[in-house]
Amino acid sequence: STLIPLLTSRWEFKKEGLKEDNVWRENLAPCFKDFAKNVQDIWDYGITEMLNNAIDHSEGSTVTIFLEATAFDSTVSIIDDGEGIFHRIQRLLGLYDPREAILELAKGKLTTDPQHHSGQGIFFTSRMFDKFSILSRNLSFIHERGTEDWLNDNIDEEPGTTVILTLENDCIRTTKS
């Protein structure tokens, strides 16, 4: 059974000059204001990290964010129109196959811009949320709490990169834990 959304929102931004902390503070934080502080902190971290990746690395021109909240959990999707995270990493690091990029990302500490990024944002974000997915072109990486990571080859080729974050509204974890 599917829960009825209590809140749905959509924002579209031009990437040029976009600041992830402003997007969080002005657009998304108000949607989470009634949640416990630990839940707000996880959303703050995950959204700003993933939005920063789209801004700094996607080479696209727009970023779209969708929010859907039910009585049980909330999901945020961050979508850019760039070349796609796995193929970009493959190209920049000279990897044989874009699937290798997923393996490296899943381990943490992979970055194509070591001067400005630790490479840990995706790793930590994927562990904070109940479900974390990256869909890019014909590949998807899915991490669900308490299960093995999944790598899927998709039949349809989607442009850009979509990151999907899902968290239970009454989650008791903290960003530190």
Side-chain angles (χ1 to χ4, degrees):
S1 70
T2 305
L3 293 174
I4 297 169
L6 302 174
L7 171 68
T8 57
S9 291
R10 179 185 185 278
W11 301 270
E12 188 167 310
F13 303 98
K14 289 274 172 240
K15 198 184 88 167
E16 187 67 38
L18 190 62
K19 300 274 185 250
E20 66 272 7
D21 52 330
N22 290 347
V23 172
W24 165 253
R25 195 172 40 256
E26 295 167 17
N27 302 93
L28 286 128
C31 299
F32 295 104
K33 69 182 182 343
D34 296 330
F35 291 67
K37 171 108 172 68
N38 65 305
V39 174
Q40 291 179 41
D41 290 346
I42 291 171
W43 279 114
D44 181 354
Y45 181 89
I47 289 169
T48 57
E49 282 287 329
M50 296 305 99
L51 189 51
N52 176 268
N53 282 349
I55 292 167
D56 286 359
H57 302 305
S58 75
E59 296 181 9
S61 59
T62 62
V63 178
T64 304
I65 300 176
F66 291 100
L67 163 66
E68 182 176 286
T70 70
F72 179 70
D73 62 16
S74 300
T75 299
V76 170
S77 302
I78 300 169
I79 304 153
D80 70 61
D81 60 352
E83 77 174 293
I85 183 173
F86 308 132
H87 292 77
R88 175 180 163 76
I89 291 170
Q90 176 194 14
R91 178 175 59 79
L92 292 177
L93 299 184
L95 302 175
Y96 175 73
D97 188 287
R99 290 168 195 81
E100 288 182 71
I102 297 174
L103 296 173
E104 295 300 320
L105 280 173
K107 290 191 282 189
K109 296 192 173 114
L110 173 74
T111 181
T112 56
D113 185 6
Q115 304 299 329
H116 301 100
H117 292 271
S118 69
Q120 296 180 332
I122 286 176
F123 177 79
F124 285 133
T125 301
S126 72
R127 298 315 187 256
M128 284 182 198
F129 286 83
D130 295 315
K131 187 170 182 185
F132 172 90
S133 307
I134 302 177
L135 298 88
S136 181
R137 301 208 1 207
N138 63 329
L139 297 171
S140 57
F141 167 76
I142 300 163
H143 175 84
E144 280 191 68
R145 179 161 282 300
T147 67
E148 295 290 316
D149 293 346
W150 290 85
L151 165 62
N152 294 326
D153 286 304
N154 304 327
I155 294 166
D156 297 326
E157 178 130 347
E158 296 293 328
T161 302
T162 299
V163 176
I164 304 169
L165 310 170
T166 301
L167 187 66
E168 289 182 10
N169 297 335
D170 61 358
C171 169
I172 58 169
R173 290 186 308 282
T174 63
T175 52
K176 198 173 189 72
S177 68

